[in-house]
């Protein structure tokens, strides 16, 4: 009986730990319209679409990345993070483009972006991470410059 109780508590905590958290954001669509609501931060790195909810009680809807120009996340302590969906050439041959979410670091005549895996801490601040093998590789962050 005691083992079953511990197992139940462990399962409940595991489910809460893996729950998908939504962050407050404004989505800027390619046609210029904007949607305010909540965006699931895990969906940024999960493929071709993001999960969006108009409010906490709404059902999540999928929006294709290709229809989105940018997402601006806002935190509880009035910080804003802007992610743009940008196409680029991954090789010097320039025969095929790829598109990904890039965090805008500096805005001006030239914009500076970085690419990483994006997650949020408990305070709502964005955390950059990268996958690497300890002892055999170093963490890699890529930076891009885009002219306005």
């Amino acid at each position: 009986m005691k083992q079953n109780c511990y197992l139940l508590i462990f399962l409940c905590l595991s489910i809460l730990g893996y729950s998908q958290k939504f962050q407050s954001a404004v989505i800027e669509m390619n046609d210029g319209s904007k949607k305010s609501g909540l965006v699931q931060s895990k969906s940024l790195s999960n493929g071709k679409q993001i999960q969006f909810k108009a409010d906490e009680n709404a059902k999540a809807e999928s929006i294709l990345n290709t229809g989105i120009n940018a997402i601006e996340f806002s935190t509880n302590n009035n910080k804003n993070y802007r992610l743009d969906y940008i196409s680029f050439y991954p090789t010097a041959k320039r025969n095929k483009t790829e598109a990904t979410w890039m965090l805008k670091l500096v805005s001006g005549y030239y914009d500076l972006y970085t690419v990483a895996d994006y997650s949020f801490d408990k305070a709502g601040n964005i955390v950059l991470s990268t996958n690497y093998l300890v002892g055999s590789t170093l963490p890699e962050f890529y930076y891009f410059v885009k002219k306005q």
Side-chain angles (χ1 to χ4, degrees):
M1 182 67 178
K2 199 174 191 180
Q3 259 183 335
N4 290 341
C5 183
Y6 287 132
L7 182 62
L8 180 64
I9 291 172
F10 174 75
L11 288 174
C12 289
L13 290 175
S14 297
I15 291 170
L16 287 174
Y18 285 107
S19 65
Q20 305 286 333
K21 187 170 181 186
F22 284 79
Q23 301 291 328
S24 176
V26 176
I27 299 175
E28 182 183 309
M29 306 301 286
N30 285 339
D31 64 3
S33 64
K34 293 186 179 189
K35 288 185 171 188
S36 295
L38 303 167
V39 173
Q40 184 184 54
S41 59
K42 288 280 188 192
S43 66
L44 293 171
S45 59
N46 288 347
K48 301 179 190 300
Q49 59 192 12
I50 63 159
Q51 298 295 316
F52 173 79
K53 293 196 310 186
D55 59 38
E56 285 287 340
N57 300 324
K59 184 179 176 187
E61 64 176 283
S62 297
I63 302 174
L64 291 175
N65 290 346
T66 55
I68 300 172
N69 185 38
I71 302 174
E72 188 156 339
F73 291 96
S74 52
T75 66
N76 298 340
N77 49 1
N78 297 327
K79 288 185 181 176
N80 292 332
Y81 301 101
R82 182 180 170 98
L83 294 170
D84 290 349
Y85 194 66
I86 297 178
S87 296
F88 64 98
Y89 294 106
T91 64
K93 293 182 180 179
R94 295 184 177 224
N95 55 3
K96 184 179 176 185
T97 61
E98 290 182 11
T100 190
W101 291 105
M102 295 189 189
L103 176 65
K104 186 182 275 189
L105 300 173
V106 177
S107 183
Y109 185 70
Y110 289 96
D111 294 335
L112 177 65
Y113 293 92
T114 187
V115 177
D117 289 330
Y118 308 107
S119 59
F120 290 85
D121 63 11
K122 291 181 181 180
N125 296 313
I126 199 163
V127 177
L128 304 178
S129 63
T130 183
N131 294 329
Y132 69 98
L133 301 173
V134 175
S136 63
T137 60
L138 294 173
E140 297 176 340
F141 291 98
Y142 297 98
Y143 295 92
F144 294 87
V145 176
K146 180 181 174 188
K147 186 177 180 180
Q148 283 290 339

